[in-house]
Amino acid sequence: MAKENLVDELWLSVHPILLGSGKSLFHKQNKSVKLTLQKSKTYKTGLVSLWYTINK
């Protein structure tokens, strides 16, 4: 969907854990995608929730 420019926003959660390895969140892209942070929230557990809109 991202390759077809059908995504308008991203909600991401960052957990305070280092795993050392894992799967990529996104596949390799041919071009950079500019994002604008709209809102962030930090929780007592250390989790950070991020809301980005995609600049088109």
Side-chain angles (χ1 to χ4, degrees), residues 18-36:
L18 293 176
L19 298 175
S21 65
K23 294 183 179 182
S24 295
L25 184 58
F26 301 100
H27 293 287
K28 292 183 180 179
Q29 307 241 349
N30 294 335
K31 61 178 182 171
S32 297
V33 177
K34 302 287 185 181
L35 305 175
T36 300

Side-chain angles (χ1 to χ4, degrees), residues 6-29:
L6 299 174
V7 178
D8 295 325
E9 60 187 30
L10 294 173
W11 285 86
L12 302 173
S13 295
V14 178
H15 297 266
I17 299 170
L18 293 176
L19 298 175
S21 65
K23 294 183 179 182
S24 295
L25 184 58
F26 301 100
H27 293 287
K28 292 183 180 179
Q29 307 241 349

